[in-house]
Amino acid sequence: MALLEKSVNLSIMHVEQKSAAEVVATARDAFNKGFTKNVKHRMKHLKSFKKFLDENEESIVQAMHEDLRKQREEARFEISIAVNHLKYLMANLKEWVEPKRPPKRWLELLDGVYVYHDPLGVVLVMGAWNVPLLTLVPVTGAMAAGNCVVIKPSHNCPAFGNMLAKVLPTYLDSMCYPVFLGDIDQTKILLEQRFDYIYYTGSTSVGKIVHLAANKYLTPTTLELGGKNPVYIDPSADLELTATRVMWGKCFNSGQACIAPDYVLCTKSVEKEFVLHARNALKKFYGDDPRCCPIVNDQHFKRLQSLMTGLNIVIGGRTDPLENYIEPTVATGVSPNDPIMQEEIFGPILPIVTVTCFKEAVKFINRREKPLALYIFTKNSSVKNYIIEHTSSGGVTVNDTLMHLMVESLPFGGVGLSGMGCYKGKSSFFTFVHKKSVLVKNFNGIIEKINRLRYPPYSSQKTDVMGFLLKYRRGPSWIWLFYVGIFLIGFVVGFLVFNYFALMNDMK
Ligand code: NAD
């Protein structure tokens, strides 16, 4: 409530904006002038971005509340993920930008062999409404990689977008890192511009539009999409903790999260116990009137209401059309053919489909599109390993939900219809660079003698020698060096012991 009273109507702030073509042209000009290639410039702006997050936490929380009535702590959670990501980038940037020296063959022993990490140019990052800041986190990876970045928040979170467009330019160079606001038509015009990379987060259907637009210039693209994330609950799992963790994942942002658990697969007896614990967990979370945040708009509210029709609801089920609230809801006896099992739910409704064993659950998962996230609850490691090895998904968390996204060093992204490409960890940087191969030769006489092997007149003898020099050979591994070290230490110790006894003998 306090938050509501304090909030200002950010959505009516007027933000002057250049056309899409002008914004991209300015960013391209800035890139060509080489500002963002400078590592000090990158580091300075990453620090400024962090300062923006630190100093504007309250405005960000307010904006998200205004757009989505997002709960304060969930908004702060998003901010802390963004801050941690920035810290990770800053801690590793110097090492990542350095050209790497891959292993060489005999033929290149006297040459320089390098991989440079070139920024791509002008990158477009498009965010989604449900986690408006989190979906713009790839912006910082693109900045670290030395690109200019056009930042495009979702048109469905105007307060957040306006706040960003007003405040971010006071921290970042807006020629290099402009914020572009626009409705669907303006976004379409933006997508007609030429970019060097597009990083899109949102629904699969709009993802296809973005991919099609990118095709015009063969622009490489990452698509962070959604889908139905299964939860398999094994009879061996601690069902009380399982229910707590699944219900937390389902209620976070009212289930409006790309990695929210979508549906549960378990046996009939697990279902019975799970429902009992899920009810208790909700009571502990919310008391007698369980409410997460409201559903984003009337259209999604009505969609969810219609998905609930005909379900055997065992927990929750109440809705409030005036406020767009849907109570956290659990339904049992759900058939794979029910409408709720045909699309990503993106709301606080958890259907349970019963299976007879984990192998049937695997078959069920594999008959459907590859999910963004898969959750496995079990104490049995062979069940865990079997499911991980026999399914394909963007990521997996065992015995919890949502948490793989929080591990900074793990890449995050989808597979198949849940997306392509990833960010986080090293991927945040390496997604936005071109790995440029560089071979440096010199005019050394020995090298020229070797070079003559490839010049005409050709002979089979020359070709054989070339083949020998070009042959791939595995270099010595560290373990080999370890054994050599052990051998040398043993040799020295043996030598000293032998001499010691020889000396003792002489003294006798
Ligand atoms: P959205 O409406 O915010 O759209 C996403 C982006 O596309 C926005 O920038 C929007 O302005 C733009 N856009 C929307 N319609 C467009 C059109 N017709 N033409 C051009 N641009 C358009 O978000 P959404 O699509 O409703 O997002 C929800 C989906 O996003 C869910 O499926 C969710 O699972 C997925 N999601 C995925 C991730 C992830 O990291 N994989 C994160 C958050 C959300």
Side-chain angles (χ1 to χ4, degrees):
M1 253 318 170
L3 188 68
L4 267 179
E5 282 153 19
K6 269 202 312 190
S7 75
V8 286
N9 191 0
L10 291 160
S11 60
I12 56 166
M13 279 184 178
H14 183 66
V15 180
E16 291 277 326
Q17 184 170 270
K18 292 182 196 160
S19 72
E22 281 173 311
V23 167
V24 179
T26 308
R28 181 146 324 271
D29 189 42
F31 180 77
N32 290 340
K33 285 187 176 137
F35 300 142
T36 56
K37 282 187 188 158
N38 182 309
V39 178
K40 279 191 188 145
H41 179 281
R42 302 185 204 182
M43 199 59 110
K44 182 179 145 207
H45 281 83
L46 291 175
K47 279 185 192 154
S48 295
F49 204 117
K50 183 174 170 297
K51 200 163 170 226
F52 159 74
L53 295 174
D54 291 340
E55 293 179 352
N56 294 279
E57 181 177 298
E58 198 52 40
S59 312
I60 296 170
V61 170
Q62 277 190 35
M64 288 192 196
H65 186 82
E66 188 167 329
D67 286 329
L68 312 164
R69 280 185 286 162
K70 192 177 267 243
Q71 291 182 355
R72 178 183 184 79
E73 294 315 320
E74 291 187 0
R76 291 188 63 213
F77 205 43
E78 238 181 276
I79 297 171
S80 74
I81 295 176
V83 168
N84 278 325
H85 187 258
L86 271 161
K87 285 184 182 166
Y88 190 84
L89 290 173
M90 289 190 279
N92 290 289
L93 182 59
K94 285 211 172 96
E95 187 205 319
W96 291 338
V97 285
E98 280 300 310
K100 297 284 170 291
R101 293 163 182 261
K104 296 192 271 190
R105 294 166 309 176
W106 289 6
L107 191 67
E108 297 102 24
L109 275 183
L110 298 174
D111 303 332
V113 174
Y114 307 96
V115 178
Y116 278 66
H117 302 122
D118 277 2
L120 295 169
V122 180
V123 171
L124 168 64
V125 178
M126 294 174 70
W129 60 265
N130 63 321
V131 270
L133 179 63
L134 194 60
T135 53
L136 291 179
V137 164
V139 167
T140 53
M143 287 167 67
N147 301 285
C148 286
V149 191
V150 177
I151 306 165
K152 161 68 183 68
S154 169
H155 68 284
N156 281 323
C157 37
F160 177 78
N162 276 314
M163 191 277 301
L164 216 58
K166 278 243 156 191
V167 185
L168 203 56
T170 61
Y171 290 84
L172 302 183
D173 178 342
S174 58
M175 287 194 306
C176 303
Y177 313 114
V179 177
F180 183 87
L181 302 180
D183 58 14
I184 291 182
D185 287 339
Q186 286 159 316
T187 309
K188 282 182 178 160
I189 297 171
L190 182 66
L191 283 167
E192 284 168 12
Q193 312 309 310
R194 185 170 191 162
F195 291 97
D196 300 289
Y197 202 95
I198 299 177
Y199 201 106
Y200 163 84
T201 303
S203 62
T204 305
S205 55
V206 177
K208 288 178 185 172
I209 296 174
V210 172
H211 205 224
L212 204 65
N215 199 33
K216 183 176 172 194
Y217 296 110
L218 295 181
T219 307
T221 311
T222 291
L223 301 176
E224 293 282 7
L225 311 174
K228 288 184 84 62
N229 306 315
V231 181
Y232 171 70
I233 307 176
D234 196 54
S236 67
D238 178 328
L239 293 180
E240 188 180 348
L241 283 182
T242 299
T244 306
R245 294 174 187 179
V246 171
M247 293 320 289
W248 170 71
K250 191 65 178 174
C251 293
F252 188 88
N253 207 25
S254 265
Q256 301 170 113
C258 55
I259 49 170
D262 192 273
Y263 62 93
V264 166
L265 294 170
C266 63
T267 61
K268 199 77 202 146
S269 63
V270 168
E271 177 188 77
K272 209 168 152 197
E273 225 180 304
F274 174 83
V275 169
L276 209 80
H277 292 304
R279 193 173 288 117
N280 291 338
L282 288 173
K283 198 165 175 137
K284 279 189 198 151
F285 291 167
Y286 304 108
D288 289 324
D289 185 19
R291 282 183 179 218
C292 342
C293 69
I295 301 307
V296 65
N297 56 31
D298 290 351
Q299 185 201 340
H300 278 288
F301 177 78
K302 285 186 184 135
R303 179 184 64 82
L304 289 166
Q305 262 191 329
S306 86
L307 288 181
M308 286 163 77
T309 316
L311 289 181
N312 177 36
I313 291 171
V314 289
I315 299 178
R318 286 179 298 177
T319 61
D320 175 356
L322 285 179
E323 297 281 342
N324 280 358
Y325 274 117
I326 294 184
E327 201 180 1
T329 297
V330 178
T332 57
V334 176
S335 149
N337 301 321
D338 284 345
I340 197 150
M341 291 304 293
Q342 311 312 315
E343 60 180 81
E344 181 181 12
I345 299 171
F346 227 55
I349 311 161
L350 185 71
I352 305 181
V353 177
T354 52
V355 288
T356 52
C357 64
F358 68 94
K359 289 196 176 168
E360 195 187 326
V362 165
K363 280 186 191 151
F364 186 96
I365 294 163
N366 289 340
R367 275 197 297 269
R368 294 167 168 255
E369 294 299 340
K370 293 177 182 177
L372 182 61
L374 168 63
Y375 301 114
I376 307 164
F377 286 83
T378 182
K379 283 184 187 163
N380 185 331
S381 57
S382 49
V383 170
K384 173 200 76 180
N385 292 338
Y386 183 91
I387 300 179
I388 294 176
E389 284 162 20
H390 290 82
T391 54
S392 174
S393 61
V396 176
T397 291
V398 179
N399 295 330
D400 209 337
T401 57
L402 314 188
M403 294 308 289
H404 60 291
L405 173 67
M406 319 296 164
V407 184
E408 205 39 69
S409 52
L410 283 179
F412 178 81
V415 56
L417 278 197
S418 63
M420 59 172 88
C422 55
Y423 79 112
K424 298 213 83 170
K426 274 185 173 185
S427 314
S428 286
F429 178 85
F430 289 99
T431 291
F432 297 109
V433 291
H434 165 60
K435 288 187 175 173
K436 184 166 74 182
S437 302
V438 176
L439 173 65
V440 182
K441 289 198 168 271
N442 59 39
F443 298 110
N444 185 302
I446 303 173
I447 290 192
E448 194 44 29
K449 277 207 170 68
I450 298 172
N451 279 350
R452 276 187 213 139
L453 293 168
R454 62 181 153 97
Y455 301 152
Y458 299 130
S459 76
S460 64
Q461 198 189 1
K462 280 161 96 178
T463 310
D464 288 348
V465 179
M466 270 297 272
F468 177 77
L469 292 173
L470 282 169
K471 202 167 167 185
Y472 170 74
R473 288 176 183 81
R474 252 186 88 175
S477 72
W478 291 111
I479 196 75
W480 184 83
L481 289 175
F482 173 75
Y483 290 135
V484 169
I486 293 286
F487 173 77
L488 287 176
I489 291 168
F491 182 79
V492 170
V493 171
F495 180 76
L496 291 175
V497 169
F498 177 80
N499 277 305
Y500 172 77
F501 283 113
L503 191 71
M504 295 304 259
N505 252 349
D506 287 354
M507 281 167 73
K508 275 182 198 166

